[in-house]
Amino acid sequence: MDYTLKELMTICAAREIKNGDIVFCGTGISMLAAMAAKNINAPDSVIFFETGAIDSKLEDIPLAVADPRIMYHTSANGGLMEAFCTMQNPMSGARIVGILGAAQIDIYGNLNSTVIGEYEAPAVRFSGSGGACDVASFVSRSIIFMKMEKRKFKKKLDYLTSPGYLDGPEGREKAGLPPGGPDKVITDMGVMGFDEHTRQMFLIGCFPGITPDRILDNMEFEIRTDRAVEIAVPTQTELTLLREKCDPHSLIL
Amino acid sequence: MNNQLDKTMPLREAIRRYVKNGAHISIGGFTLNRNPMAAVYEIIRQKITDLHLYAHSNGTGLDELIGAGCIAKLEIAYGGNGKAAPTCIRFARAIQNNEILFEDYSNYMMSLRFMAGAMGVPFLPTLSGMGSDMLTTWGFSESMRLSDPKIVNKKLAVVDNPFGNWGGAKKVVAVPAINPDVTIIHVQQADIMGTCRIKGLTFADVEQAKASRHVIVTCENLVEKAVLRENPDMNQIPFIHVSAVCHVPFGGYPTAVYGHYDYDAQYLKQFAAAARDENAFTAYQDRFIFGVDNHEQFLKQVGKDRLEAVAADPRTGYSVNMKRD
């Protein structure tokens, strides 16, 4: 079967979303993954945006979280305060899955989307937290998209924008954060999870044609690979729904 | 605040009156949506400098203001402009080259900071950001903070929960209030007194407006007071907060204004390309900002074709057929 890497990654993330989940969405592939879940495996999931739109109809794929396409046919249009309250109160917050991306990740799933190099006069400045830190601080689980590269899977982040498990099993509690944290890392070579005891990243599975060694070659830190299996490829139904229902004009795919 | 009944004035006059060199300002909207762009271009044309800008997530307005050298200090959560510039180009460059002072927060923190300003409390608590470098890495030094009475002494503070473990938290992050000298927002409808109606998402415009000493409102439609009072549940900002009302159709262009027009993906792409090159950027500014006297002339420079391409479809509120890649 023919599929692209982007399609495979999108479907992998979509499969992590369950019916009834409330999905906090960023832009690009994360938005597409949320739309794919809704169209394929979780029709009763709800997509919501930090800008304040809840359960947008999404007739056309938005390309930003402030794209007017998210404002059409929602349950309620509010603002940032409404969105963050939805995310951070213990009643609705516990049902939220966050989808994030970042420039760097470490073994505990902490993320950097702020700078490479020194904080002041850095080598590269990125957009900054936006709502990412707020999502990572709160939601019960998050899915993270990353590209496999040594400079992205870092022993030590240049800047910790969004908290994962911080320094280990007790990290979040010691820092004063609610439980929750990163659940899956979806990369262009395979999928990682986090060990429930050590809270360290481990390899769940490789994409077809990729070996665990190849994944390790693209990381600065070591992770366990002894539980790795091959990831199931997208089915024809998944691909058809993704291409025809979610992104018919190939704006993201 | 201004209790006159008729607060309408030309945009040039509103900016001259309320946006002084060194002012602390905030602008409404979010990345590529409902930025008060006509006002941003007017600030640039008036060569106002040394501004202190507060924003949660901004894009188009932010990058124009930084690119034009208007901003000296920035407190922000996110500088990105959609697909055209996932990280704002002049924003990144100014930080990389050490040209502006800046401080990073999260979107929720910035929203709470405006909210605290609107509420008249010195800070509000949150659990967001515990364990992150936002708590420990400061862009404004302590000595700089202490030397400027308009800047709070600390970026953030972790404090004990005075109610024990109530709410399940032993400590909270206190985020300091913001009270800008002036906030500028662009809305769909306003009357001459300044009552505002926003369609679509409000972002943090309402909190920003209520936290500010002065508010400049630019609007697509200037409507009769009676029209807004007929369905007051749909109004978000009462006139008492507003100092100036400026009727500026397409005043949010090239960002989106829900129900009126979409963001102009082509314009933003062209801006991003120009922003990467000093000569191209000067040429861009000369053509679109300094080469025109006001927003009406700017729109002529942009051309009818673009304005027609972004016009909103009445059913969905955005341009259904616009080319976005």
Side-chain angles (χ1 to χ4, degrees), chain B residues 40-239:
Chain B
V40 163
Y41 292 130
E42 184 57 31
I43 289 172
I44 296 172
R45 263 193 299 274
Q46 292 192 19
K47 296 193 160 65
I48 297 164
T49 58
D50 204 27
L51 294 173
H52 186 126
L53 179 69
Y54 301 98
H56 37 78
S57 290
N58 204 275
T60 318
L62 166 81
D63 227 27
E64 291 275 16
L65 287 170
I66 291 182
C70 302
I71 309 291
K73 298 189 237 51
L74 179 64
E75 300 189 41
I76 198 168
Y78 185 90
N81 212 19
K83 219 179 166 186
T87 299
C88 283
I89 290 149
R90 305 303 299 199
F91 158 81
R93 192 168 290 202
I95 290 177
Q96 287 162 196
N97 296 342
N98 223 354
E99 289 163 0
I100 54 171
L101 289 171
F102 64 97
E103 200 68 278
D104 276 285
Y105 292 90
S106 72
N107 271 344
Y108 190 36
M109 289 174 182
M110 289 306 290
S111 306
L112 286 168
R113 296 186 67 196
F114 289 121
M115 184 80 176
M119 290 169 70
V121 294
F123 61 87
L124 279 171
T126 174
L127 300 183
S128 259
M130 291 280 203
S132 78
D133 282 347
M134 253 176 288
L135 298 183
T136 47
T137 306
W138 292 11
F140 297 174
S141 69
E142 203 152 7
S143 58
M144 177 273 213
R145 287 176 170 280
L146 291 174
S147 69
D148 187 340
K150 283 179 83 173
I151 298 176
V152 60
N153 64 338
K154 288 183 174 135
K155 178 186 180 185
L156 295 160
V158 177
V159 295
D160 287 338
N161 181 348
F163 303 102
N165 200 27
W166 183 247
K170 290 194 189 78
K171 25 185 197 175
V172 295
V173 183
V175 297
I178 296 171
N179 289 108
D181 296 319
V182 56
T183 282
I184 311 170
I185 59 171
H186 182 71
V187 304
Q188 281 86 350
Q189 293 186 340
D191 67 17
I192 60 169
M193 296 168 73
T195 295
C196 298
R197 180 173 297 177
I198 297 171
K199 272 174 65 70
L201 301 176
T202 51
F203 307 119
D205 282 25
V206 180
E207 291 82 5
Q208 285 173 255
K210 292 181 178 177
S212 293
R213 182 176 304 277
H214 293 291
V215 177
I216 300 173
V217 171
T218 62
C219 60
E220 288 298 321
N221 296 331
L222 187 66
V223 299
E224 290 294 326
K225 176 180 165 188
V227 172
L228 293 182
R229 305 249 169 169
E230 207 167 304
N231 289 296
D233 319 13
M234 293 166 75
N235 307 335
Q236 293 88 356
I237 301 175
F239 66 94

Side-chain angles (χ1 to χ4, degrees), chain A residues 27 49-54 57-73 76-82 84-85 88 114-115 119-135 137-138 156-163 166 173-178 249-252, chain B residues 30-33 56-57 76-80 82-83 86-88 91-93 95-98 101-109 111-112 115 124 126-135 137-139 155 169-171 199-204 207 256 258 261-263 315-320 322 324-325:
Chain A
T27 51
F49 298 91
E50 63 185 289
T51 40
I54 297 188
K57 190 169 183 199
L58 302 178
E59 278 190 3
D60 296 283
I61 195 160
L63 297 182
V65 298
D67 192 311
R69 282 152 194 77
I70 71 168
M71 301 179 189
Y72 174 62
H73 216 280
N77 274 342
L80 274 71
M81 284 303 293
E82 284 86 354
F84 286 114
C85 290
Q88 303 212 337
T114 304
V115 289
Y119 183 63
E120 278 167 66
V124 185
R125 170 70 205 201
F126 296 110
S127 55
S129 162
C133 169
D134 305 309
V135 180
S137 295
F138 261 85
K156 189 174 178 353
L157 302 179
D158 289 4
Y159 184 96
L160 198 164
T161 313
S162 306
L166 294 171
E173 201 188 334
K174 272 189 297 188
L177 286 174
H249 303 295
S250 296
L251 289 171
I252 294 173
Chain B
F30 195 102
T31 59
L32 41 65
N33 203 304
H56 37 78
S57 290
I76 198 168
Y78 185 90
K83 219 179 166 186
T87 299
C88 283
F91 158 81
R93 192 168 290 202
I95 290 177
Q96 287 162 196
N97 296 342
N98 223 354
L101 289 171
F102 64 97
E103 200 68 278
D104 276 285
Y105 292 90
S106 72
N107 271 344
Y108 190 36
M109 289 174 182
S111 306
L112 286 168
M115 184 80 176
L124 279 171
T126 174
L127 300 183
S128 259
M130 291 280 203
S132 78
D133 282 347
M134 253 176 288
L135 298 183
T137 306
W138 292 11
K155 178 186 180 185
K170 290 194 189 78
K171 25 185 197 175
K199 272 174 65 70
L201 301 176
T202 51
F203 307 119
E207 291 82 5
Y258 192 62
Y261 45 89
D262 218 316
Y263 59 93
R315 183 180 68 90
T316 55
Y318 54 83
S319 168
V320 175
M322 183 181 76
R324 287 188 287 151
D325 50 3

